[in-house]
Amino acid sequence: MKRSHSPLPVVFEPVRPVKKVKAETPVSPFPNFDHPTLEESKDVIRLLHSEFPHIPAYRNDPTTGEFQASPCGGVTDVVEALIETILSQNTSAHNSTAAKRNLDTAFGRNNFAAITQAPYSQVVDAIRTGGLANKKATTIQKLLSSIHAKHGSYSLQHLTGKEYSDEDVMEELVSYEGVGPKTASCVLMFCLERESFPVDTHVFRLSKLLGWVPDKSNRISAQAHLDVRIPGELKYGLHVLMIAHGRRCSGCKSRSRGACSLKTYRMGKKGEDIGGNVHGRANSQGPSGEAGDRSYMLIVNSSDNRNVNRPSFRSSP
């Protein structure tokens, strides 16, 4: 009599979760708003570079490929760059530099543990010259505590790795309280030397003057839109040149009738449907569940999206 053999148990391999693939190209919150065009971006960078020839129009020399701009004034530590950006908010470059120098004197440069563990009042006193010391001290101490709690150290140098996409870096940075899209974009562009386009008060005002963003946009949605529309190789030059023009030109201020090269350029483009304001109305509504628009939602949901008038790191008072 043959012995019956029970069937071998079926072993199921555990199903591993499929890693989500991030969109290669972020989507603008205004997908039907087709400005600035490539030619408009090039026009403005040529125009402004003629006014400020001492400011590099490109991060790398287009002919030699040589690097022309120093990152963050020589700051390559990501956490230090974040702190300098926070200190630069709503103050002049002179005052923020003094505040950072005093912070280094009081606790040692990049002694983040000492800053975190110090009494709040000591941090306030150290950065008082930069203005809004109470708020900035709270933001800095919370930021450092959060970084240490998440990574076990006061370091974000892993974000310098090329395996991290720009979206990865943005997602990590805006996850910390007090770090918004403009601050994160400054760190991306200046410290990490990536192609990003921070929008501060000057850049936003000039972008509206040029018709590059819809009338109903705010700084957050404008940054998301311009970061998509402006070619990567033009982002650095346009940002620093628009900052320089915005600081020095009184003619482009609101209600001003003074001379302004960008206003003259804009008038020359009148009738060409700049910004959709002449011949048609652009779609100025934000995204409504559009596929692949994750970068914009990261920006909209960031922790400081209510404070939309903060200045760029090393760029705008």
Side-chain angles (χ1 to χ4, degrees):
M1 184 177 178
K2 291 184 177 181
R3 293 181 62 183
S4 61
H5 296 278
S6 59
L8 292 174
V10 178
V11 178
F12 293 97
E13 290 289 334
V15 178
R16 295 180 179 179
V18 178
K19 185 178 180 181
K20 292 183 179 179
V21 179
K22 297 177 181 177
E24 291 294 327
T25 304
V27 178
S28 166
F30 312 112
N32 297 327
F33 195 89
D34 56 359
H35 297 278
T37 64
L38 172 61
E39 201 54 45
E40 288 165 355
S41 297
K42 288 182 176 180
D43 283 348
V44 171
I45 203 168
R46 282 193 294 262
L47 175 63
L48 293 180
H49 187 51
S50 69
E51 292 183 16
F52 305 99
H54 61 286
I55 298 177
Y58 298 89
R59 189 195 301 274
N60 296 306
D61 188 302
T63 56
T64 66
E66 293 181 357
F67 190 72
Q68 300 186 106
S70 61
C72 274
V75 174
T76 56
D77 186 279
V78 179
V79 177
E80 183 178 19
L82 276 171
I83 290 175
E84 290 208 8
T85 310
I86 292 166
L87 291 174
S88 75
Q89 295 163 6
N90 296 307
T91 192
S92 66
H94 174 80
N95 289 342
S96 65
T97 299
K100 179 60 166 59
R101 184 170 57 247
N102 293 342
L103 189 70
D104 291 345
T105 300
F107 302 104
R109 182 175 179 180
N110 294 351
N111 190 346
F112 304 129
I115 296 172
T116 307
Q117 297 162 13
Y120 164 73
S121 60
Q122 289 184 14
V123 180
V124 171
D125 288 340
I127 64 174
R128 195 175 298 280
T129 56
L132 299 176
N134 293 337
K135 180 180 179 181
K136 292 176 182 179
T138 299
T139 299
I140 290 170
Q141 287 191 310
K142 283 185 176 180
L143 170 67
L144 293 174
S145 295
S146 298
I147 291 171
H148 191 273
K150 184 172 184 177
H151 297 291
S153 66
Y154 297 102
S155 175
L156 292 176
Q157 290 308 103
H158 63 282
L159 296 179
T160 63
K162 297 303 180 184
E163 67 272 22
Y164 290 92
S165 68
D166 293 348
E167 188 182 15
D168 290 331
V169 177
M170 176 68 78
E171 182 174 8
E172 165 104 10
L173 294 179
V174 300
S175 70
Y176 298 110
E177 184 178 351
V179 178
K182 198 261 340 211
T183 296
S185 183
C186 285
V187 173
L188 274 161
M189 184 171 73
F190 289 111
C191 179
L192 299 178
E193 300 175 25
R194 298 197 182 210
E195 294 173 345
S196 192
F197 193 74
V199 173
D200 75 339
T201 51
H202 293 303
V203 174
F204 182 52
R205 175 168 48 83
L206 297 178
S207 297
K208 295 196 79 171
L209 182 151
L210 289 165
W212 284 7
V213 294
D215 290 336
K216 293 183 180 180
S217 64
N218 58 32
R219 267 186 46 195
I220 295 167
S221 59
Q223 178 171 311
H225 174 72
L226 294 171
D227 204 38
V228 171
R229 295 292 309 179
I230 295 174
E233 69 274 13
L234 301 182
K235 288 178 178 177
Y236 174 86
L238 271 175
H239 175 81
V240 295
L241 287 166
M242 289 174 84
I243 294 291
H245 180 86
R247 281 178 170 177
R248 292 165 175 78
C249 178
S250 59
C252 57
K253 303 288 193 300
S254 61
R255 299 188 181 89
S256 173
R257 296 185 179 182
C260 168
S261 59
L262 293 183
K263 282 201 301 190
T264 302
Y265 169 79
R266 175 72 166 83
M267 292 301 294
K269 300 286 286 185
K270 189 176 181 180
E272 297 181 20
D273 197 17
I274 293 293
N277 293 326
V278 178
H279 298 304
R281 183 178 298 278
N283 177 8
S284 59
Q285 299 301 312
S288 55
E290 296 164 26
D293 199 15
R294 189 162 175 267
S295 294
Y296 175 71
M297 295 313 295
L298 280 175
I299 289 177
V300 168
N301 294 324
S302 64
S303 57
D304 74 342
N305 62 7
R306 292 177 301 277
N307 189 4
V308 298
N309 289 315
R310 303 196 313 172
S312 295
F313 171 56
R314 297 279 194 193
S315 58
S316 171

